[in-house]
Amino acid sequence: MPVEAAPCVAIIGAGPAGLRAAAALVAAGLRPVLLDEAPEPGGQIYRRPPPALRPALAPAKLYGPDASRARALHEGFAALAGAVDHRPGTMVWNATNRDAGGFRLMLHHTSGLRSALDCDALILATGAMDRILPMPGWTLPGVWSLGGAQVMLKGQANLIGRRPVFAGSGPLLYLIAGQYAAAGGTPAAVIDAASFGAKLRAIPWLAARPAVMLRGVAMTALLRARGVPLLEGCHADRIEAADDGLRVHWSGARGTGFVTGDAVAIGHGLKPEHLLADILGCDRRYDTGARQWLVHTDAEGRSSQPGLYLAGDMAGIRGGHAAETAGELTALAALADLGRAAPGRPALRRALIRQDLFRKGMERAFPFPSDRVADLPDETIVCRCEGIGAGDLRQAIRLWQPADVNRLKAMTRCGMGRCQGRLCGDIAAGLLASETGRHVADVGSLRGQAPVKPLPAGRAEAATAIVP
Amino acid sequence: MTPAPIILRRALPRVCIIGGGIVGSATAFFLARGGCPVELLERDTVGSRASGVNFGGVRRHGRAVAELPLAIRSRAIWPRLRELIGHDCDFETPGHLKVAQTEAELEPLARWAAIGRAHGLTIDLLDRGQLRRDHPWLTHDLAGGSFCPGDGYANPRLVAPYFARAARAEGAVIREGHPVLAVEDTAGGGFVLHGPLGARHEADVVVNAAGAWGGAIAGQLGLDVPMVSLAPQMFVTEPTTRRIGPVLGMVSGAIYLRQSVRGNVIFGGGRGSVHPDGLRSRPAEDVFERSPALVRALIPALAGVPLIRSWTGIEGNTPDGLPVIGESGGRAGLIHACGFSGHGFEMGPGVGETLRDLILTGDAGLDLSAFSPDRFAVPPAIRSA
């Protein structure tokens, strides 16, 4: 297997954080390696449609008010061509700490080629994925994650349905429902667990970024004007297949009822993609505001592992704008640690503090409904890879009294499937905590294991003879 | 002189077992059922080490001759797990197929078949054509194979915990998160084991079932059991079409493999690295490349099936690859059952039953001499040189 000579800094993820980090490193005279799974830069938020679909999907339609930012990032990065060792279609499936310091990254390219790459400093900008509170019926055909619904639109110029139901919690519900409306869909309803009151009470924090807050208000007004029912303070309780489509039963501030659509997109916020940081041994902490485990960093994105930095949503869900700030700041922190000039950090730190206030507001306005985990009906599938239900987990918890969620995984298979427990791990931990009267922070979280994503065969493996 | 059976030294010996893997848990169960006051002390969680993360093979096929009687005794217990400990631990018996890549590798298969048959096992030797006919999913390059019906696999994560649970129901005391910090000989012929926070455990009999860490426990008691910690590396793929019937092994030992009921292919091959602290291990980079490539060459239909996870566990290996089982000549009442060199899972239940007989009657019921803890002892003349 070829091992390349050490470059100075590697970045994983070409979303807003990774792109801004790359630009800052180039400005300092380095040639960073930028590793990204997608064929083109932009990340999830500024994902670009395939070239053939671009005429149909203008940036204004795809990215809304962020279109100018998206364009600036895409064009800014294009201008760096040659100055960055950009490797699209490259999955980092494992990483190790080298004895001599720095890291070795194991790469798999979509072509099937495998290689290893050594770096002295590493910036993880791996983004986030959907966080989902499962409900009976969430594994039915036609039910998507919110992120999946957005990928369908941005990446395929397609809709998951003509009149999808959007259910869960968080600003993405309104954003994606709005994008679907703009793209010709007719959202059947938005069912948002967050109450109007909670949003009002979050205003003092949200006011740290008034423009963004007002944009959210405008988004809901637009949906309302189009006649989309917005059920605030209501929980999607279960989904069932009916003759006329998928029925989402809800209950909450406005009583009970159901909405029927031809597809359902669910999401209850986002969750950092932190498996590589776990494998590299970064310290984590349970964040009571975000109601999930976050990798611990200092104010400039340094992790507990020397030479390893985190930027963007993988360090905490702050959104695309903050990801740009953090990407640049983190790159400067890495430069400073490498003994290079890295001016301008104080201003970036101040900007991040403002964005952090806004994040706290979002966590107050759209709290993850973790209190509902305790009451998940037994028949709810929690681990869809292995088909493990809430009832199976409760039974195992009673039988084994597991000390932590990894033991619960061992006894039930929950979290052993292809998603590596990304979707079910927190829910299993929540059930373990509630069933044993502990705080969720005291039952641990699933350990990351390589490969962090399903690893296809490599081309270097085209062995014809079996030689042990 | 043969020591008197332990049962004669005291009506009901108090037994303290160090280590809650499959061997320790099964021993605790059979002893507690036999009426002994049993205490099991486990540093971590029952079955969380090699017992819980191994391949799960339940195999007599191809075992070292010295191990075969014990392996056969143990195999008789596996189908009774539901009756004994309340769960079948997903035990399945699709048979075990060992394949030869070269004509030269057929010779050891034939030789072992005679041994297996002499022990009452059914062994089918397959030539190139028969192998291809019976197992068309295998690469056609193989020279032949040997099939042992009745072998199979079980779910390693469940076996030790269910044995420990059943032992507790029989009255055994199971302590998890309870390392043994020191073992002390008492003047009266018994032992005192020191645990955390000043805990003391008195025992007439101590069973060292500490797996890869058994050598260190033995060393504390003045017995030299050389042991090397190795970390076999395991893999699992996404679920795929069910096509692999038997558990598969290679004469070369390079790969061992099975397909779960859900369709995941689970295989082992190569070794990861053991952390210097001896407590942790991790997969190795080169094994990540090599072992999956070997599997894809062996079973071409798996070429497009992605891997979803790899892991390692720590096993204690002795110089001759045989476990250490039995009483040490130097100290009556001190029984070792460790260093299983990767063979502990299948034999675990049988070891438990055998140690029960040894402790309660003085007669193990089968010949343990090949596993003597004293076989590695260096003669004093050489030691002083």
Side-chain angles (χ1 to χ4, degrees):
Chain A
M1 179 175 51
V3 177
E4 299 175 31
C8 212
V9 185
I11 304 165
I12 305 178
L19 292 178
R20 286 293 290 269
L25 293 169
V26 169
L30 296 185
R31 186 165 187 270
V33 182
L34 178 61
L35 305 159
D36 191 43
E37 283 181 44
E40 290 193 84
Q44 299 294 347
I45 179 166
Y46 304 130
R47 176 189 291 270
R48 307 185 76 181
L53 295 176
R54 265 173 220 170
L57 293 166
K61 205 165 166 185
L62 271 186
Y63 311 123
D66 280 329
S68 59
R69 273 178 180 270
R71 199 179 292 118
L73 266 178
H74 286 307
E75 286 170 4
F77 185 71
L80 296 180
V84 176
D85 181 359
H86 179 218
R87 309 210 193 160
T90 304
M91 170 170 78
V92 183
W93 57 272
N94 193 11
T96 54
N97 305 68
R98 291 158 68 217
D99 293 337
F103 310 93
R104 171 163 291 184
L105 308 177
M106 311 303 289
L107 314 181
H108 177 92
H109 191 263
T110 45
S111 67
L113 283 181
R114 292 257 184 92
S115 60
L117 182 124
D118 287 346
C119 59
D120 301 313
L122 174 63
I123 298 176
L124 293 179
T126 43
M129 61 173 283
D130 290 288
R131 193 176 184 197
I132 285 170
L133 176 73
M135 60 195 80
W138 75 290
T139 55
L140 284 170
V143 181
W144 298 65
S145 73
L146 268 180
Q150 201 181 31
V151 169
M152 196 65 167
L153 180 63
K154 288 181 187 172
Q156 306 290 326
N158 222 327
L159 305 181
I160 61 166
R162 295 225 150 267
R163 27 178 206 99
V165 179
F166 294 87
S169 172
L172 281 180
L173 282 176
Y174 301 93
L175 175 70
I176 298 172
Q179 287 170 344
Y180 265 64
T186 310
V190 173
I191 305 171
D192 180 6
S195 69
F196 186 65
K199 288 165 201 159
L200 280 184
R201 287 192 292 277
I203 283 176
W205 287 273
L206 298 176
R209 297 173 67 193
V212 181
M213 182 177 73
L214 290 175
R215 197 195 282 176
V217 173
M219 214 153 55
T220 51
L222 187 83
L223 287 169
R224 228 174 236 122
R226 291 203 176 210
V228 177
L230 303 183
L231 301 165
E232 286 178 285
C234 294
H235 292 277
D237 294 324
R238 65 193 156 89
I239 305 170
E240 62 185 25
D243 290 341
D244 52 348
L246 289 166
R247 242 176 233 175
V248 184
H249 292 263
W250 56 266
S251 64
R254 307 188 34 185
T256 59
F258 67 85
V259 184
T260 307
D262 56 356
V264 181
I266 55 173
H268 298 79
L270 295 174
K271 170 183 175 142
E273 184 63 79
H274 55 64
L275 251 62
L276 284 169
D278 294 351
I279 287 176
L280 289 171
C282 292
D283 289 345
R284 288 189 290 164
R285 65 187 168 80
Y286 186 82
D287 188 292
T288 50
R291 302 185 176 184
Q292 61 185 332
W293 289 87
L294 299 178
V295 183
H296 180 73
T297 65
D298 73 0
E300 298 188 334
R302 292 178 186 85
S303 76
S304 61
Q305 294 284 334
L308 180 55
Y309 307 83
L310 316 181
D313 275 357
M314 84 134 305
I317 307 302
R318 290 187 288 213
H321 299 184
E324 289 191 47
T325 315
E328 186 174 357
L329 176 59
T330 298
L332 291 175
L335 286 167
D337 296 347
L338 290 167
R340 300 198 172 220
R345 282 182 286 157
L348 290 165
R349 277 202 308 266
R350 281 194 297 277
L352 260 192
I353 288 170
R354 229 169 22 250
Q355 285 156 338
D356 249 338
L357 279 176
F358 187 77
R359 170 179 68 92
K360 291 199 171 84
M362 294 301 268
E363 287 167 1
R364 281 170 166 77
F366 302 98
F368 181 75
S370 42
D371 51 321
R372 310 248 318 162
V373 173
D375 301 322
L376 286 181
D378 277 350
E379 70 270 24
T380 318
I381 295 289
V382 174
C383 171
R384 61 177 180 176
C385 300
E386 296 288 336
I388 310 297
D392 301 320
L393 290 167
R394 289 197 178 98
Q395 200 182 354
I397 292 165
R398 277 195 296 274
L399 192 60
W400 300 109
Q401 297 291 314
D404 86 325
V405 69
N406 288 290
R407 181 70 166 176
L408 182 59
K409 169 184 170 182
M411 304 314 293
T412 60
R413 304 195 59 82
C414 180
M416 286 195 181
R418 73 192 308 276
C419 93
Q420 284 264 31
R422 281 171 170 83
L423 281 170
C424 62
D426 291 355
I427 305 301
L431 274 171
L432 177 55
S434 68
E435 295 288 313
T436 56
R438 284 179 282 174
H439 189 274
V440 70
D442 297 327
V443 300
S445 62
L446 293 183
R447 276 187 290 274
Q449 282 170 299
V452 297
K453 291 186 180 172
L455 180 65
R459 219 205 288 168
E461 290 183 9
T464 46
I466 307 170
V467 185
Chain B
M1 194 186 77
T2 315
I6 294 157
I7 188 77
L8 297 183
R9 292 175 219 149
R10 191 188 176 95
L12 278 172
R14 295 164 301 170
V15 182
C16 218
I17 299 169
I18 306 172
I22 186 169
V23 169
S25 300
T27 304
F29 168 74
F30 284 112
L31 280 171
R33 240 166 100 103
C36 267
V38 176
E39 214 173 350
L40 184 151
L41 309 177
E42 162 56 42
R43 176 183 55 199
D44 303 311
T45 312
V46 163
S48 62
R49 293 301 190 149
S51 295
V53 298
N54 68 78
F55 176 65
V58 177
R59 168 176 69 85
R60 301 156 298 181
H61 194 199
R63 283 253 173 263
V65 180
E67 290 179 341
L68 205 44
L70 184 52
I72 289 169
R73 180 176 192 176
S74 197
R75 171 61 181 77
I77 300 171
W78 281 96
R80 299 175 55 215
L81 290 185
R82 184 179 293 283
E83 158 210 339
L84 290 171
I85 60 175
H87 198 287
D88 68 4
C89 298
D90 306 342
F91 176 57
E92 300 275 348
T93 53
H96 183 269
L97 175 67
K98 215 176 218 347
V99 294
Q101 290 172 254
T102 62
E103 298 294 329
E105 285 182 350
L106 291 173
E107 195 273 326
L109 286 182
R111 202 160 9 102
W112 197 91
I115 295 166
R117 286 170 188 149
H119 282 80
L121 301 184
T122 302
I123 304 293
D124 304 327
L125 287 174
L126 308 174
D127 64 21
R128 188 182 293 269
Q130 286 166 313
L131 184 64
R132 201 165 155 170
R133 211 167 38 245
D134 292 356
H135 304 287
W137 41 276
L138 281 167
T139 175
H140 295 164
D141 297 341
L142 297 167
S146 169
F147 182 70
C148 178
D151 278 358
Y153 60 86
N155 183 339
R157 293 183 315 282
L158 300 182
V159 183
Y162 269 102
F163 262 113
R165 187 180 155 76
R168 184 176 274 152
E170 297 283 354
V173 175
I174 311 287
R175 296 189 200 279
E176 294 180 305
H178 202 93
V180 172
L181 306 174
V183 184
E184 196 187 310
D185 260 318
T186 64
F191 302 87
V192 174
L193 283 70
H194 296 271
L197 301 170
R200 293 175 86 249
H201 310 273
E202 293 181 13
D204 305 306
V205 174
V206 168
V207 177
N208 169 17
W213 301 274
I217 299 273
Q220 273 193 39
L221 293 153
L223 177 68
D224 185 24
V225 178
M227 219 183 267
V228 179
S229 287
L230 298 176
Q233 186 163 339
M234 308 289 308
F235 298 84
V236 60
T237 70
E238 286 190 353
T240 182
T241 315
R242 288 269 290 154
R243 57 167 69 81
I244 304 166
V247 179
L248 189 67
M250 295 169 81
V251 173
S252 68
I255 291 292
Y256 40 104
L257 175 149
R258 63 184 171 91
Q259 188 165 24
S260 75
V261 175
R262 292 179 61 78
N264 307 78
V265 178
I266 298 155
F267 61 96
R271 290 183 184 125
S273 58
V274 179
H275 191 270
D277 68 9
L279 296 173
R280 288 173 285 166
S281 60
R282 66 179 295 158
E285 294 161 28
D286 55 331
V287 178
F288 254 118
E289 295 299 320
R290 204 171 52 239
S291 293
L294 290 176
V295 165
R296 286 168 179 135
L298 194 60
I299 305 173
L302 296 179
V305 183
L307 300 174
I308 56 175
R309 202 165 56 252
S310 179
W311 68 96
T312 52
I314 301 176
E315 63 181 28
N317 286 257
T318 63
D320 58 12
L322 293 177
V324 172
I325 309 173
E327 218 165 353
S328 164
R331 180 62 172 92
L334 173 61
I335 296 173
H336 300 277
C338 57
F340 278 78
S341 309
H343 312 155
F345 185 66
E346 190 277 337
M347 294 201 287
V351 174
E353 204 182 63
T354 301
L355 291 189
R356 174 200 64 192
D357 291 351
L358 178 67
I359 292 168
L360 292 184
T361 72
D363 179 5
L366 41 77
D367 181 12
L368 295 177
S369 56
F371 314 128
S372 164
D374 301 322
R375 68 187 189 273
F376 306 111
V378 183
I382 297 177
R383 192 177 295 178
S384 60

